[in-house]
Amino acid sequence: MSAKSMDELVSLCKRRGFIFQSSEIYGGLQGMYDFGPLGVELKNNLKSAWWKSMVYERDDVEGLDASILTNQLVLNYSGHEDTFTDPLVDCKSCKSRWRADQIGDTCPNCGSKDLTDPRPFNLMFKTNVGPLEDEGSIAYLRPETAQQIFTNFKNIVDSTSRALPFGIAQIGKAFRNEITPRNFIFRVREFEQMELEFFVEPGEDNLWHDKWIEERSKWWESQGVSKKKIRFLEVPKDELSHYSKRTVDLMYEFPHGEEELEGIANRTDFDLGSHSKNQDQLNIQSKIRKNSDSNSRLAIQNKDTNEWIVPFVIEPSAGVERGVLAILNEAYKVEKLEDGKERIVLALKPHLSPIKAAVIPLKKNNDDLVSLAKNIKDELQSLGKGRVLLENTGNIGKSYRKHDEVGTPMCITIDFDSLENNTVTIRDRDSMDQKTIQIQELTSYFSNFFK
Ligand code: GAP
């Protein structure tokens, strides 16, 4: 069972320190959110899981962390300066602005039908680099992490001696000046993407595309996103991005409706071809503009035939915020207890939980209990499985409720038996079962739990 409404998630996120409206004390900044103490842990855990599965557990992917501010030429040759737009309309009555494709013919604010004709609005944030604000100093905050992967293609091939097929993975911020950011962290102006550009021989692209669609839906399942809530959407030809031959979106049932969680596109040889020098010497298949500025041949040599190939690219591209929203929605449960009361529990997969274990001394003013709890916390923390918290409130029931709500998989209580018999009580978040184990067994119990 997932959350009944977005409001429930928003409320939990604020109450427990997952997500706050950005610049809230000054009235907020629309389309921006800050991740609090638990949100940053959840987000980091999700990104680590992605990196682990993409880079460490495969032998055919390298990592990259490129700059956010991007040379204007990159986003010119990529096509973003010309085509990265949404249709904007103004309401002539109340002066509000809307995305034409989201509102029909009526202003959602005042009900007027007196709207301007739609005009293209470029979503990129423009800035200037250096002390001069002129045409020559224009740069953009990247609207996708992908472009710098393409511009670094030769650097990575030369430094790693990779042959096809192989991929380059990157996680990082992207920025879009969305006309109407909405639905909490679903559509925002500053967000993070987890993107893989996977380079393959032309002709093998369709096969690899299908493989990645399969891989990615399995991965979301391993993060706790139910298979039943994901649908594959074949993006209609007339809605494809300018670079795409085929895109399949993984659509998820968010609390506000079904929308895109991740897109998996076949970008063909468009991007490498567009950013390459000497384009006419390469057998580029997509329709590209002549590049007279690049100093790099973005192709790879077949080691047997010596032929230069511009690879095709399969791109699984996921949003971190949308991932966090889907995972919170899946994990959120309200359970009826035997005594008639209710509890909220966030049944997160343990590897995603912001706090792995809470160590709770029975009495907050008892030095012996608190000092033993602190030693146990330090010991478990040193195992490198994630954050372990010393929860010294002196109220066991309240601590259990709090840790249920934030998804802590286990609470470890230190009581007088711990001092006399070297035992601790472990309480399981999901079953609420409690068991007693010896302190000396705790590290291996804890390590095995988070394996
Ligand atoms: N490089 C390809 C690309 O950027 P996209 O479909 O525009 O494709 C990929 O974006 C993913 O980034 C989306 O599936 C979504 O998860 C996330 N995303 C895009 N725009 C977003 C926004 N305004 N707010 C939050 N996430 C966004």
Side-chain angles (χ1 to χ4, degrees):
M1 194 189 64
S2 48
K4 284 191 276 319
S5 71
M6 191 74 99
D7 288 347
E8 279 180 319
L9 291 183
V10 175
S11 157
L12 175 82
C13 285
K14 171 133 199 215
R15 189 169 71 243
R16 291 300 187 185
F18 281 89
I19 302 167
F20 311 121
Q21 171 70 59
S22 184
S23 307
E24 196 177 10
I25 64 165
Y26 291 110
L29 186 58
Q30 233 204 333
M32 314 285 172
Y33 286 91
D34 298 338
F35 283 74
L38 299 187
V40 64
E41 298 292 339
L42 172 56
K43 208 176 177 203
N44 282 344
N45 293 340
L46 181 65
K47 291 190 285 183
S48 295
W50 186 90
W51 195 263
K52 199 162 135 238
S53 86
M54 282 297 187
V55 184
Y56 299 163
E57 290 172 1
R58 301 183 63 95
D59 293 317
D60 54 2
V61 175
E62 302 285 352
L64 176 73
D65 181 21
S67 68
I68 288 169
L69 284 172
T70 307
N71 186 319
Q72 183 182 14
L73 288 173
V74 173
L75 292 155
N76 179 283
Y77 283 109
S78 69
H80 284 81
E81 275 199 326
D82 290 337
T83 62
F84 198 61
T85 58
D86 276 339
L88 174 74
V89 288
D90 292 300
C91 171
K92 290 186 195 163
S93 302
C94 71
K95 311 289 177 220
S96 58
R97 291 187 149 173
W98 303 96
R99 233 177 91 169
D101 56 333
Q102 287 177 345
I103 64 161
D105 63 355
T106 310
C107 170
N109 189 42
C110 70
S112 164
K113 289 189 185 300
D114 195 8
L115 306 175
T116 59
D117 287 336
R119 59 190 187 284
F121 171 76
N122 197 298
L123 300 182
M124 288 197 295
F125 284 99
K126 207 185 237 184
T127 186
N128 293 85
V129 172
L132 284 181
E133 276 193 26
D134 60 14
E135 285 298 301
S137 65
I138 291 174
Y140 292 104
L141 273 70
R142 64 186 178 198
E144 59 170 4
T145 66
Q147 288 307 317
Q148 305 277 39
I149 295 182
F150 302 127
T151 58
N152 274 295
F153 180 76
K154 187 173 180 323
N155 286 334
I156 291 174
V157 169
D158 289 352
S159 56
T160 63
S161 307
R162 284 284 176 187
L164 296 179
F166 80 98
I168 303 175
Q170 180 169 216
I171 300 176
K173 291 262 183 180
F175 301 82
R176 296 183 188 178
N177 198 4
E178 297 282 353
I179 296 169
T180 43
R182 55 167 90 175
N183 296 319
F184 193 31
I185 54 169
F186 177 82
R187 187 175 305 288
V188 283
R189 290 179 167 138
E190 174 175 342
F191 56 100
E192 285 189 87
Q193 290 185 316
M194 305 182 283
E195 296 201 301
L196 172 74
E197 307 303 320
F198 198 76
F199 302 97
V200 303
E201 297 255 1
E204 292 185 3
D205 49 314
N206 292 339
L207 207 76
W208 276 106
H209 198 182
D210 288 340
K211 266 194 203 176
W212 275 112
I213 295 165
E214 176 77 23
E215 284 275 321
R216 294 303 303 148
S217 60
K218 274 199 209 140
W219 184 80
W220 280 113
E221 219 186 327
S222 67
Q223 306 311 306
V225 179
S226 154
K227 210 175 173 174
K228 281 192 251 145
K229 292 249 197 77
I230 292 205
R231 182 172 71 86
F232 298 110
L233 173 80
E234 199 67 52
V235 176
K237 284 262 176 278
D238 59 348
E239 288 175 25
L240 288 173
S241 303
H242 59 281
Y243 49 72
S244 172
K245 168 176 156 186
R246 177 186 172 220
T247 297
V248 172
D249 285 343
L250 302 187
M251 305 294 283
Y252 172 74
E253 282 173 37
F254 287 98
H256 63 278
E258 191 196 58
E259 291 217 55
E260 177 186 339
L261 170 64
E262 166 162 354
I264 303 148
N266 180 344
R267 292 183 79 130
T268 68
D269 56 1
F270 176 85
D271 299 276
L272 290 179
S274 296
H275 289 303
S276 187
K277 72 172 183 182
N278 300 342
Q279 291 157 316
D280 43 8
Q281 295 167 19
L282 299 164
N283 186 18
I284 298 167
Q285 297 184 32
S286 42
K287 235 170 85 193
I288 46 158
R289 269 178 45 220
K290 181 165 171 46
N291 191 320
S292 40
D293 294 292
S294 168
N295 58 23
S296 182
R297 173 168 50 190
L298 299 184
I300 191 164
Q301 205 165 17
N302 181 310
K303 289 187 173 120
D304 301 324
T305 63
N306 285 340
E307 184 200 1
W308 285 95
I309 299 165
V310 181
F312 269 44
V313 175
I314 306 301
E315 177 199 63
S317 171
V320 177
E321 282 72 6
R322 289 188 192 181
V324 166
L325 188 57
I327 283 162
L328 285 174
N329 185 45
E330 291 282 316
Y332 186 98
K333 291 178 188 175
V334 181
E335 284 181 359
K336 271 247 167 313
L337 301 177
E338 275 172 12
D339 61 5
K341 292 193 180 134
E342 283 188 343
R343 73 161 182 159
I344 294 174
V345 57
L346 212 49
L348 293 167
K349 294 268 182 194
H351 72 278
L352 294 175
S353 290
I355 298 168
K356 302 304 177 198
V359 185
I360 314 171
L362 184 67
K363 297 215 174 295
K364 71 174 177 183
N365 296 325
N366 183 301
D367 288 347
D368 293 338
L369 291 179
V370 174
S371 143
L372 178 58
K374 172 94 177 79
N375 289 343
I376 288 176
K377 181 245 138 114
D378 289 347
E379 173 74 22
L380 297 183
Q381 190 61 69
S382 73
L383 299 172
K385 301 290 183 188
R387 188 169 183 202
V388 178
L389 194 77
L390 177 69
E391 186 67 76
N392 195 14
T393 57
N395 185 332
I396 302 284
K398 223 169 160 181
S399 298
Y400 285 167
R401 268 196 303 286
K402 168 185 162 186
H403 284 284
D404 284 346
E405 268 196 35
V406 303
T408 308
M410 69 173 81
C411 288
I412 301 164
T413 303
I414 314 301
D415 56 18
F416 293 106
D417 274 348
S418 311
L419 300 176
E420 280 166 29
N421 305 324
N422 290 319
T423 57
V424 291
T425 305
I426 297 186
R427 187 237 189 210
D428 180 79
R429 175 195 70 198
D430 297 334
S431 64
M432 294 188 287
D433 287 346
Q434 299 191 19
K435 66 174 161 202
T436 304
I437 70 166
Q438 289 290 316
I439 291 176
Q440 69 206 38
E441 292 167 26
L442 194 55
T443 48
S444 70
Y445 179 90
F446 182 78
S447 298
N448 286 336
F449 191 91
F450 291 101
K451 233 206 264 185

PDB file of all heavy atoms in Angstrom, residues 144 146 176 178 186-188 191 193 195 243 260-263 267 315 317-319 322, ligand 1:
ATOM      1  N   GLU A 144      20.671  19.054 -18.975  1.00  0.00           N
ATOM      2  CA  GLU A 144      20.780  17.593 -18.815  1.00  0.00           C
ATOM      3  C   GLU A 144      22.263  17.328 -18.576  1.00  0.00           C
ATOM      4  O   GLU A 144      23.116  18.099 -19.014  1.00  0.00           O
ATOM      5  CB  GLU A 144      20.284  16.840 -20.070  1.00  0.00           C
ATOM      6  CG  GLU A 144      21.039  17.202 -21.355  1.00  0.00           C
ATOM      7  CD  GLU A 144      20.716  16.305 -22.549  1.00  0.00           C
ATOM      8  OE1 GLU A 144      19.845  15.433 -22.448  1.00  0.00           O
ATOM      9  OE2 GLU A 144      21.365  16.479 -23.599  1.00  0.00           O
ATOM     10  N   ALA A 146      23.868  14.889 -19.771  1.00  0.00           N
ATOM     11  CA  ALA A 146      24.368  14.099 -20.903  1.00  0.00           C
ATOM     12  C   ALA A 146      25.417  14.801 -21.767  1.00  0.00           C
ATOM     13  O   ALA A 146      26.392  14.173 -22.191  1.00  0.00           O
ATOM     14  CB  ALA A 146      23.190  13.703 -21.793  1.00  0.00           C
ATOM     15  N   ARG A 176      16.261  23.471 -15.198  1.00  0.00           N
ATOM     16  CA  ARG A 176      15.302  23.833 -16.260  1.00  0.00           C
ATOM     17  C   ARG A 176      14.347  24.880 -15.706  1.00  0.00           C
ATOM     18  O   ARG A 176      13.749  24.667 -14.643  1.00  0.00           O
ATOM     19  CB  ARG A 176      14.494  22.597 -16.706  1.00  0.00           C
ATOM     20  CG  ARG A 176      15.381  21.553 -17.325  1.00  0.00           C
ATOM     21  CD  ARG A 176      14.616  20.347 -17.839  1.00  0.00           C
ATOM     22  NE  ARG A 176      15.588  19.337 -18.246  1.00  0.00           N
ATOM     23  CZ  ARG A 176      15.290  18.143 -18.713  1.00  0.00           C
ATOM     24  NH1 ARG A 176      14.029  17.794 -18.874  1.00  0.00           N
ATOM     25  NH2 ARG A 176      16.240  17.292 -19.053  1.00  0.00           N
ATOM     26  N   GLU A 178      11.368  25.620 -15.699  1.00  0.00           N
ATOM     27  CA  GLU A 178      10.017  25.111 -15.992  1.00  0.00           C
ATOM     28  C   GLU A 178       8.997  26.250 -15.873  1.00  0.00           C
ATOM     29  O   GLU A 178       9.045  27.036 -14.921  1.00  0.00           O
ATOM     30  CB  GLU A 178       9.643  24.003 -15.001  1.00  0.00           C
ATOM     31  CG  GLU A 178      10.529  22.762 -15.052  1.00  0.00           C
ATOM     32  CD  GLU A 178      10.215  21.846 -16.217  1.00  0.00           C
ATOM     33  OE1 GLU A 178       9.217  22.080 -16.934  1.00  0.00           O
ATOM     34  OE2 GLU A 178      10.997  20.894 -16.424  1.00  0.00           O
ATOM     35  N   PHE A 186       8.209  16.610  -7.931  1.00  0.00           N
ATOM     36  CA  PHE A 186       8.101  15.926  -9.228  1.00  0.00           C
ATOM     37  C   PHE A 186       8.632  16.789 -10.369  1.00  0.00           C
ATOM     38  O   PHE A 186       9.420  16.331 -11.198  1.00  0.00           O
ATOM     39  CB  PHE A 186       6.647  15.517  -9.527  1.00  0.00           C
ATOM     40  CG  PHE A 186       6.530  14.885 -10.880  1.00  0.00           C
ATOM     41  CD1 PHE A 186       6.836  13.548 -11.059  1.00  0.00           C
ATOM     42  CD2 PHE A 186       6.187  15.644 -12.002  1.00  0.00           C
ATOM     43  CE1 PHE A 186       6.796  12.975 -12.330  1.00  0.00           C
ATOM     44  CE2 PHE A 186       6.151  15.079 -13.268  1.00  0.00           C
ATOM     45  CZ  PHE A 186       6.454  13.740 -13.424  1.00  0.00           C
ATOM     46  N   ARG A 187       8.159  18.025 -10.451  1.00  0.00           N
ATOM     47  CA  ARG A 187       8.634  18.906 -11.528  1.00  0.00           C
ATOM     48  C   ARG A 187       9.223  20.145 -10.892  1.00  0.00           C
ATOM     49  O   ARG A 187       8.516  20.989 -10.349  1.00  0.00           O
ATOM     50  CB  ARG A 187       7.487  19.291 -12.471  1.00  0.00           C
ATOM     51  CG  ARG A 187       7.986  20.070 -13.692  1.00  0.00           C
ATOM     52  CD  ARG A 187       6.875  20.360 -14.694  1.00  0.00           C
ATOM     53  NE  ARG A 187       6.166  19.189 -15.148  1.00  0.00           N
ATOM     54  CZ  ARG A 187       6.661  18.270 -15.984  1.00  0.00           C
ATOM     55  NH1 ARG A 187       7.872  18.419 -16.486  1.00  0.00           N
ATOM     56  NH2 ARG A 187       5.951  17.225 -16.333  1.00  0.00           N
ATOM     57  N   VAL A 188      10.548  20.233 -10.893  1.00  0.00           N
ATOM     58  CA  VAL A 188      11.242  21.333 -10.226  1.00  0.00           C
ATOM     59  C   VAL A 188      12.201  22.003 -11.205  1.00  0.00           C
ATOM     60  O   VAL A 188      12.388  21.534 -12.329  1.00  0.00           O
ATOM     61  CB  VAL A 188      11.999  20.811  -8.977  1.00  0.00           C
ATOM     62  CG1 VAL A 188      11.051  20.567  -7.829  1.00  0.00           C
ATOM     63  CG2 VAL A 188      12.791  19.554  -9.282  1.00  0.00           C
ATOM     64  N   PHE A 191      17.289  20.061 -10.186  1.00  0.00           N
ATOM     65  CA  PHE A 191      17.123  18.663  -9.809  1.00  0.00           C
ATOM     66  C   PHE A 191      18.384  17.893 -10.178  1.00  0.00           C
ATOM     67  O   PHE A 191      19.335  18.452 -10.732  1.00  0.00           O
ATOM     68  CB  PHE A 191      15.887  18.050 -10.489  1.00  0.00           C
ATOM     69  CG  PHE A 191      15.886  18.163 -11.998  1.00  0.00           C
ATOM     70  CD1 PHE A 191      16.248  17.088 -12.803  1.00  0.00           C
ATOM     71  CD2 PHE A 191      15.512  19.350 -12.609  1.00  0.00           C
ATOM     72  CE1 PHE A 191      16.246  17.192 -14.182  1.00  0.00           C
ATOM     73  CE2 PHE A 191      15.507  19.465 -14.005  1.00  0.00           C
ATOM     74  CZ  PHE A 191      15.876  18.387 -14.793  1.00  0.00           C
ATOM     75  N   GLN A 193      20.048  14.381 -12.033  1.00  0.00           N
ATOM     76  CA  GLN A 193      19.811  13.266 -12.949  1.00  0.00           C
ATOM     77  C   GLN A 193      20.856  12.174 -12.724  1.00  0.00           C
ATOM     78  O   GLN A 193      21.991  12.465 -12.328  1.00  0.00           O
ATOM     79  CB  GLN A 193      19.918  13.740 -14.401  1.00  0.00           C
ATOM     80  CG  GLN A 193      18.782  14.652 -14.829  1.00  0.00           C
ATOM     81  CD  GLN A 193      18.862  15.011 -16.299  1.00  0.00           C
ATOM     82  OE1 GLN A 193      19.940  15.324 -16.799  1.00  0.00           O
ATOM     83  NE2 GLN A 193      17.744  14.975 -16.996  1.00  0.00           N
ATOM     84  N   GLU A 195      22.396   9.622 -15.223  1.00  0.00           N
ATOM     85  CA  GLU A 195      22.338   9.327 -16.656  1.00  0.00           C
ATOM     86  C   GLU A 195      23.475   8.419 -17.086  1.00  0.00           C
ATOM     87  O   GLU A 195      24.624   8.584 -16.661  1.00  0.00           O
ATOM     88  CB  GLU A 195      22.416  10.626 -17.473  1.00  0.00           C
ATOM     89  CG  GLU A 195      21.235  11.535 -17.241  1.00  0.00           C
ATOM     90  CD  GLU A 195      21.018  12.536 -18.373  1.00  0.00           C
ATOM     91  OE1 GLU A 195      21.946  13.324 -18.631  1.00  0.00           O
ATOM     92  OE2 GLU A 195      19.942  12.549 -18.988  1.00  0.00           O
ATOM     93  N   TYR A 243      16.719  14.455 -30.868  1.00  0.00           N
ATOM     94  CA  TYR A 243      17.833  13.519 -31.078  1.00  0.00           C
ATOM     95  C   TYR A 243      17.394  12.059 -31.114  1.00  0.00           C
ATOM     96  O   TYR A 243      18.193  11.177 -31.357  1.00  0.00           O
ATOM     97  CB  TYR A 243      18.874  13.694 -29.959  1.00  0.00           C
ATOM     98  CG  TYR A 243      18.259  13.687 -28.557  1.00  0.00           C
ATOM     99  CD1 TYR A 243      17.757  12.523 -27.982  1.00  0.00           C
ATOM    100  CD2 TYR A 243      18.175  14.861 -27.814  1.00  0.00           C
ATOM    101  CE1 TYR A 243      17.187  12.519 -26.722  1.00  0.00           C
ATOM    102  CE2 TYR A 243      17.614  14.866 -26.538  1.00  0.00           C
ATOM    103  CZ  TYR A 243      17.123  13.688 -26.003  1.00  0.00           C
ATOM    104  OH  TYR A 243      16.560  13.688 -24.756  1.00  0.00           O
ATOM    105  N   GLU A 260       6.189  10.294 -15.981  1.00  0.00           N
ATOM    106  CA  GLU A 260       7.502   9.702 -16.286  1.00  0.00           C
ATOM    107  C   GLU A 260       8.433   9.697 -15.071  1.00  0.00           C
ATOM    108  O   GLU A 260       8.655  10.719 -14.438  1.00  0.00           O
ATOM    109  CB  GLU A 260       8.133  10.531 -17.417  1.00  0.00           C
ATOM    110  CG  GLU A 260       9.520  10.091 -17.788  1.00  0.00           C
ATOM    111  CD  GLU A 260      10.170  11.037 -18.817  1.00  0.00           C
ATOM    112  OE1 GLU A 260       9.449  11.771 -19.518  1.00  0.00           O
ATOM    113  OE2 GLU A 260      11.413  11.037 -18.882  1.00  0.00           O
ATOM    114  N   LEU A 261       8.992   8.502 -14.810  1.00  0.00           N
ATOM    115  CA  LEU A 261      10.017   8.360 -13.773  1.00  0.00           C
ATOM    116  C   LEU A 261      11.400   8.386 -14.428  1.00  0.00           C
ATOM    117  O   LEU A 261      12.337   9.001 -13.936  1.00  0.00           O
ATOM    118  CB  LEU A 261       9.794   7.020 -13.049  1.00  0.00           C
ATOM    119  CG  LEU A 261      10.845   6.527 -12.079  1.00  0.00           C
ATOM    120  CD1 LEU A 261      10.980   7.460 -10.884  1.00  0.00           C
ATOM    121  CD2 LEU A 261      10.483   5.115 -11.564  1.00  0.00           C
ATOM    122  N   GLU A 262      11.512   7.697 -15.553  1.00  0.00           N
ATOM    123  CA  GLU A 262      12.786   7.603 -16.270  1.00  0.00           C
ATOM    124  C   GLU A 262      12.498   7.457 -17.758  1.00  0.00           C
ATOM    125  O   GLU A 262      11.504   6.845 -18.143  1.00  0.00           O
ATOM    126  CB  GLU A 262      13.554   6.374 -15.751  1.00  0.00           C
ATOM    127  CG  GLU A 262      14.728   5.962 -16.632  1.00  0.00           C
ATOM    128  CD  GLU A 262      15.742   5.062 -15.932  1.00  0.00           C
ATOM    129  OE1 GLU A 262      15.609   4.826 -14.714  1.00  0.00           O
ATOM    130  OE2 GLU A 262      16.671   4.605 -16.607  1.00  0.00           O
ATOM    131  N   GLY A 263      13.381   8.025 -18.578  1.00  0.00           N
ATOM    132  CA  GLY A 263      13.242   7.845 -20.023  1.00  0.00           C
ATOM    133  C   GLY A 263      14.440   7.059 -20.547  1.00  0.00           C
ATOM    134  O   GLY A 263      15.572   7.253 -20.089  1.00  0.00           O
ATOM    135  N   ARG A 267      19.529   7.614 -28.815  1.00  0.00           N
ATOM    136  CA  ARG A 267      19.924   8.952 -29.308  1.00  0.00           C
ATOM    137  C   ARG A 267      20.712   8.854 -30.609  1.00  0.00           C
ATOM    138  O   ARG A 267      21.268   9.851 -31.070  1.00  0.00           O
ATOM    139  CB  ARG A 267      20.764   9.686 -28.260  1.00  0.00           C
ATOM    140  CG  ARG A 267      19.988  10.069 -27.020  1.00  0.00           C
ATOM    141  CD  ARG A 267      20.820  10.872 -26.027  1.00  0.00           C
ATOM    142  NE  ARG A 267      20.941  12.257 -26.386  1.00  0.00           N
ATOM    143  CZ  ARG A 267      20.706  13.299 -25.577  1.00  0.00           C
ATOM    144  NH1 ARG A 267      20.325  13.092 -24.328  1.00  0.00           N
ATOM    145  NH2 ARG A 267      20.853  14.535 -25.991  1.00  0.00           N
ATOM    146  N   GLU A 315      20.458   5.729 -23.977  1.00  0.00           N
ATOM    147  CA  GLU A 315      20.524   6.579 -22.786  1.00  0.00           C
ATOM    148  C   GLU A 315      19.391   6.317 -21.799  1.00  0.00           C
ATOM    149  O   GLU A 315      18.270   6.786 -21.996  1.00  0.00           O
ATOM    150  CB  GLU A 315      20.462   8.055 -23.190  1.00  0.00           C
ATOM    151  CG  GLU A 315      20.458   8.990 -22.007  1.00  0.00           C
ATOM    152  CD  GLU A 315      19.956  10.379 -22.343  1.00  0.00           C
ATOM    153  OE1 GLU A 315      18.793  10.527 -22.735  1.00  0.00           O
ATOM    154  OE2 GLU A 315      20.768  11.315 -22.237  1.00  0.00           O
ATOM    155  N   SER A 317      17.908   7.615 -18.560  1.00  0.00           N
ATOM    156  CA  SER A 317      18.057   8.881 -17.838  1.00  0.00           C
ATOM    157  C   SER A 317      16.968   9.003 -16.774  1.00  0.00           C
ATOM    158  O   SER A 317      15.783   9.097 -17.093  1.00  0.00           O
ATOM    159  CB  SER A 317      17.942  10.039 -18.828  1.00  0.00           C
ATOM    160  OG  SER A 317      17.867  11.265 -18.137  1.00  0.00           O
ATOM    161  N   ALA A 318      17.404   8.988 -15.503  1.00  0.00           N
ATOM    162  CA  ALA A 318      16.434   9.003 -14.404  1.00  0.00           C
ATOM    163  C   ALA A 318      16.613  10.245 -13.548  1.00  0.00           C
ATOM    164  O   ALA A 318      17.727  10.726 -13.363  1.00  0.00           O
ATOM    165  CB  ALA A 318      16.623   7.761 -13.535  1.00  0.00           C
ATOM    166  N   GLY A 319      15.528  10.750 -13.005  1.00  0.00           N
ATOM    167  CA  GLY A 319      15.590  11.886 -12.094  1.00  0.00           C
ATOM    168  C   GLY A 319      15.677  11.396 -10.661  1.00  0.00           C
ATOM    169  O   GLY A 319      14.918  10.518 -10.256  1.00  0.00           O
ATOM    170  N   ARG A 322      12.457  12.432  -8.644  1.00  0.00           N
ATOM    171  CA  ARG A 322      11.297  11.578  -8.976  1.00  0.00           C
ATOM    172  C   ARG A 322      11.477  10.188  -8.379  1.00  0.00           C
ATOM    173  O   ARG A 322      10.512   9.559  -7.949  1.00  0.00           O
ATOM    174  CB  ARG A 322      11.107  11.503 -10.487  1.00  0.00           C
ATOM    175  CG  ARG A 322      10.602  12.825 -11.016  1.00  0.00           C
ATOM    176  CD  ARG A 322      10.217  12.787 -12.471  1.00  0.00           C
ATOM    177  NE  ARG A 322      10.011  14.149 -12.940  1.00  0.00           N
ATOM    178  CZ  ARG A 322       9.647  14.482 -14.156  1.00  0.00           C
ATOM    179  NH1 ARG A 322       9.427  13.527 -15.064  1.00  0.00           N
ATOM    180  NH2 ARG A 322       9.490  15.748 -14.500  1.00  0.00           N
TER     181      ARG A 322
HETATM  182  N1  GAP B   1      19.197  13.405 -21.137  1.00  0.00           N
HETATM  183  C1  GAP B   1      17.844  13.093 -21.425  1.00  0.00           C
HETATM  184  C2  GAP B   1      16.890  13.875 -20.649  1.00  0.00           C
HETATM  185  O1  GAP B   1      17.260  14.802 -19.943  1.00  0.00           O
HETATM  186  P1  GAP B   1      14.366  14.023 -19.990  1.00  0.00           P
HETATM  187  O2  GAP B   1      13.246  13.047 -20.250  1.00  0.00           O
HETATM  188  O3  GAP B   1      14.128  15.445 -20.329  1.00  0.00           O
HETATM  189  O4  GAP B   1      15.608  13.443 -20.768  1.00  0.00           O
HETATM  190  C3  GAP B   1      15.229  12.713 -17.918  1.00  0.00           C
HETATM  191  O5  GAP B   1      14.793  13.923 -18.467  1.00  0.00           O
HETATM  192  C4  GAP B   1      14.683  12.527 -16.507  1.00  0.00           C
HETATM  193  O6  GAP B   1      15.016  13.666 -15.702  1.00  0.00           O
HETATM  194  C5  GAP B   1      13.155  12.437 -16.440  1.00  0.00           C
HETATM  195  O7  GAP B   1      12.713  11.110 -16.663  1.00  0.00           O
HETATM  196  C6  GAP B   1      12.882  12.875 -15.024  1.00  0.00           C
HETATM  197  O8  GAP B   1      13.050  11.803 -14.127  1.00  0.00           O
HETATM  198  C7  GAP B   1      13.965  13.913 -14.771  1.00  0.00           C
HETATM  199  N2  GAP B   1      13.445  15.273 -14.947  1.00  0.00           N
HETATM  200  C8  GAP B   1      13.333  15.951 -16.108  1.00  0.00           C
HETATM  201  N3  GAP B   1      12.825  17.189 -15.885  1.00  0.00           N
HETATM  202  C9  GAP B   1      12.606  17.276 -14.548  1.00  0.00           C
HETATM  203  C10 GAP B   1      12.104  18.299 -13.692  1.00  0.00           C
HETATM  204  N4  GAP B   1      11.745  19.494 -14.151  1.00  0.00           N
HETATM  205  N5  GAP B   1      12.017  18.046 -12.370  1.00  0.00           N
HETATM  206  C11 GAP B   1      12.412  16.846 -11.875  1.00  0.00           C
HETATM  207  N6  GAP B   1      12.906  15.862 -12.627  1.00  0.00           N
HETATM  208  C12 GAP B   1      13.009  16.058 -13.948  1.00  0.00           C
END
